[in-house]
Each structure stands twice: as structure tokens, then as C-alpha cells.
Amino acid sequence: MSTIISVPFADLHAQYLSIKSDMDAAIAEVIRTSAFIRGPFVQKFETEFAAAMGLAHCVSCANGTDSLYIAMHALGVKPGDEVIAPAHSWISTTETITQAGAKVVFVDTDANTYTIDPAQIEAKVTSRTVGIIPVHLYGQPADMDPIMAIAARHRLWVIEDCAQAHLARYKGRNVGTMGTAASFSFYPGKNLGAMGDAGAICTNDKALADRMGMFARHGGLVKGDHQIEGINSRLDGLQAAVLSVKLPHLRAWTVRRQEIAASYAKLLAGVPGVTLPVVATDREHVYHLYVIRHERRDALAKHLSAVGIQTVVNYPVALPFLPCYQRFGHTPAEFPNAFRNQSRVLSLPIFPEMTAAQMDAVNQGLRSMPNP
Ligand SMILES: Cc1ncc(COP(=O)(O)O)c(C=O)c1O
């Protein structure tokens, strides 16, 4: 069978067209003033983004992966330390732990929300544990209250990985405002996306912000004054200008994602074999990804592709089972939920500009999946 229209996974060009004149003018202004690296556009975006997230300081950097690394470096992570992270996330969450010199300690995810299971964290805390990185995966906040309670009991820092969750809320609080620092990605497809790589770390701790800014900029907040050895991880003026144009639209785009998710929930109710996203009480999901579960996920993805519906698997191999972590010798029995979900999760198209006809096509595509 064939659907009437094909549906892309996301449509960045549609978003660009919706704000084209502002976007073109902002880019032209950066070119006119040659403010390519840091400078007024970067400073403006840092101020605006911190305010939008409800945090005092924003340290921009080259991408979301760097933001995690920079934060851990500034928090003093060193060889021998251990950092706790969820077993199912994007590799950035944990590769940066290793880069910072520490050992990755995985904790299984909750079977339904896909975020780190707080009930399993404390058993993994040792005398070497220094921090926890909860990930607000797919756009749903992790269960922060018990995580922060554990962190307080053991004097651990918490970096909230907010790469997929700009403006998501937990018990009325913005993600990023509960931990020690909040890491953000502005990868083009993110809910707030640049036109290239970009990232930021936000915090209310001024001293930490200064250390992070220093490390990201060759170890000095003032040019030529290298207090420490750092790295080069800077946001460029073009990306900052793009992000400043988009930021005022983020709330409306988020609401639109939530409306699409609500429409999906109605349309897709009762589709055989499909489990829809579960949102825990008191959490506001921002639907960076709309992730369903299906026992025959790969066959479903193939069928949807054949009828013109683009899907993505986030993520097909949970972190402990990736070749790069073979050295730990982890087994599926240690992370049953992550292991089970890695072969069942499927991300359906969702983007603010999505039309009712596109949602309908996704519904038809799912309902036309042949039985085994
Ligand atoms: C959960 C998570 N953490 C970190 C990152 C890293 O962001 P970036 O791609 O900007 O380096 C991403 C983005 O893909 C992500 O999804």
C-alpha cells in the first residue's frame, strides 16, 4: 500500500521559511560586522538563553558534547573518579565522562519513561563517586527529586543533560535549574537548533561559570591571560545570531510539539502492538522525540519507510552494550529495561510545522502494518 504523502522525520527548512526575513537579516548583520567568534552576538545570546532557562549564567561553547566535558572539567573530575549515568542515552553523555578521566558507571532506565531509574542509583554509589548525569531523554525530565536527594546525601554534583529537553518542566521547575549545572545542545535538529554545531552550560554558580568559561576559551577569560590550560570550544557569532532569532519562538514551538503529541495520542490509540509515550505525573514533556514501542520494531520501521514515513531509532544499542564499552563486560541482565527497549523504541516524525495531513499519514502508515 502507499500513503498519500510522505512525511520527513523533521523539516528544518520549513522552520527556516517561517522566520526567513529575521534569520537572513541576523546573518547579514554578523557578516556586515565580522563578529565571527564570540563578540556581541554571542554575549547577547548567552544573556537571553540564561534568562529563558531561569538560570543566572550561560557559558556558550562549540557543541553539547563539549558542554558536558567542560562542566566535568570545571567540577574537578579526575582519574579514579566515578560518574553515574543512564544506560540508554546518546554517547555524548558518557564518552565525556571518560574524556574527563573518570569511570562511567551505568544505571538502568525506567521501563516506561526511559529516564534513569533513581531507585537503582544508590546501589552504584561508591567512595569514588563524584557525580550523576541524569538525561532528560527524548524531552521528558528525569525524576529529579530522588536524584537530588541521593546527590545531597553523598555530596555529589549533578549535571542535568538537557540536550533534548529545552523548557521541559519537573514539578513546575525548568529542567536545568535543579542540578549543579545544565548542559544544552543546539544541534540543528534539537528543539532549539542552530545552523551548525552549538552548545551551552548554564548554572547559578558564578565561580563554576567562570571556571567553565575559562576552560572553554584556552584557559583565560581575558585574551592572552591564560590562568590554566584549556580547550578551544567557542560559540561563533553566526550560530549565536541564529539562536537569538529562534529563541523567542521556542515556547510556541514547544507548545506545538505538545499539541502534536496530544493529537498523536488520540489518533494512534489502539494501534495494534504500539505503546505510546508515557509521561510521569508532574513532568512536562517537550517531545524532542515522539518515541513509541513495538515488539517488531525493525519490521515496522521498514514498513513505514516503504510507505514514505521517515523514522529513527534513538538508540539501537544501549550504552553498556556498545563496542566502546566492551571493556566493562556488562550483560543484558544488569540493564534489563535498556536492553529490552533498545530493540523496541522507534521515534516517529515530530516537528512544530507538522500538518494534520502528515500526522494522518503516520497514523495510516502504522495501521497498515501487516500482521506477522
Ligand atoms: C542526550 C544528549 N546529550 C548530549 C548531546 C550532545 O550534543 P551535540 O550533538 O551538540 O554535541 C546530545 C545531542 O545529540 C544528546 O542527545
Side-chain angles (χ1 to χ4, degrees):
M1 84 141 255
S2 66
T3 50
I4 309 141
I5 53 168
S6 60
V7 186
F9 186 67
D11 191 344
L12 299 185
H13 195 65
Q15 185 178 76
Y16 165 67
L17 292 179
S18 73
I19 49 172
K20 184 176 182 312
S21 56
D22 288 349
M23 194 65 93
D24 292 353
I27 291 170
E29 186 59 11
V30 178
I31 295 170
R32 193 185 68 76
T33 56
S34 301
F36 295 125
I37 298 288
R38 290 205 57 82
F41 298 100
V42 173
Q43 271 162 20
K44 178 170 178 287
F45 175 68
E46 286 179 338
T47 306
E48 292 167 349
F49 188 69
M53 295 303 111
L55 284 148
H57 310 281
C58 168
V59 176
S60 63
C61 61
N63 55 67
T65 308
D66 278 4
S67 71
L68 291 162
Y69 174 59
I70 291 163
M72 274 185 271
H73 192 280
L75 285 163
V77 173
K78 58 185 190 316
D81 289 348
E82 293 178 2
V83 175
I84 290 172
H88 211 177
S89 180
W90 175 241
I91 182 75
S92 303
T93 310
T94 52
E95 66 186 353
T96 48
I97 296 173
T98 310
Q99 283 154 13
K103 181 186 172 199
V104 185
V105 176
F106 295 108
V107 166
D108 202 9
T109 46
D110 178 80
N112 294 311
T113 64
Y114 310 117
T115 54
I116 192 166
D117 180 359
Q120 299 189 45
I121 292 179
E122 210 148 19
K124 301 279 178 92
V125 174
T126 73
S127 58
R128 291 180 294 279
T129 310
V130 293
I132 309 172
I133 308 184
V135 180
H136 305 308
L137 198 70
Y138 306 150
Q140 169 154 216
D143 193 2
M144 289 303 294
D145 276 354
I147 294 170
M148 293 312 296
I150 294 164
R153 267 200 298 282
H154 299 277
R155 296 174 179 277
L156 311 176
W157 50 253
V158 173
I159 300 173
E160 294 180 61
D161 185 338
C162 305
Q164 304 187 0
H166 317 71
L167 292 185
R169 288 195 198 116
Y170 175 85
K171 299 187 181 174
R173 287 169 278 164
N174 274 359
V175 295
T177 59
M178 295 162 274
T180 316
S183 146
F184 290 91
S185 165
F186 308 116
Y187 180 82
K190 293 291 195 268
N191 287 20
L192 179 64
M195 288 185 165
D197 274 316
I201 323 112
C202 294
T203 181
N204 282 326
D205 180 336
K206 166 94 169 74
L208 178 62
D210 284 349
R211 286 200 303 278
M212 295 193 295
M214 204 180 271
F215 182 63
R217 290 187 247 157
H218 293 297
L221 289 172
V222 177
K223 199 166 184 176
D225 178 28
H226 308 282
Q227 298 284 328
I228 54 170
E229 286 178 314
I231 59 170
N232 177 2
S233 183
R234 299 179 295 220
L235 183 65
D236 65 70
L238 280 169
Q239 301 311 335
V242 163
L243 289 165
S244 281
V245 171
K246 287 190 173 191
L247 184 59
H249 299 278
L250 180 61
R251 175 67 64 193
W253 287 337
T254 302
V255 169
R256 195 61 206 119
R257 284 177 182 275
Q258 291 166 334
E259 286 168 358
I260 292 163
S263 300
Y264 264 156
K266 282 197 197 112
L267 275 174
L268 307 182
V271 177
V274 169
T275 305
L276 300 178
V278 174
V279 185
T281 332
D282 287 337
R283 292 186 229 180
E284 199 182 307
H285 198 316
V286 293
Y287 295 99
H288 170 57
L289 297 168
Y290 189 89
V291 180
I292 61 164
R293 271 203 320 264
H294 196 277
E295 292 293 321
R296 292 189 299 129
R297 189 269 317 277
D298 291 340
L300 179 62
K302 205 168 156 206
H303 166 73
L304 289 173
S305 169
V307 297
I309 312 292
Q310 238 179 31
T311 60
V312 175
V313 174
N314 304 91
Y315 300 93
V317 183
L319 296 169
F321 315 123
L322 286 169
C324 61
Y325 294 121
Q326 241 171 20
R327 65 183 183 278
F328 295 136
H330 285 308
T331 60
E334 293 174 80
F335 311 99
N337 291 332
F339 182 70
R340 191 170 183 280
N341 288 332
Q342 69 178 14
S343 57
R344 286 169 178 78
V345 289
L346 185 67
S347 307
L348 300 182
I350 190 164
F351 47 94
E353 301 75 18
M354 197 171 186
T355 63
Q358 288 174 319
M359 282 178 245
D360 232 42
V362 174
N363 180 33
Q364 283 180 42
L366 283 167
R367 288 182 189 273
S368 62
M369 167 77 172
N371 284 323

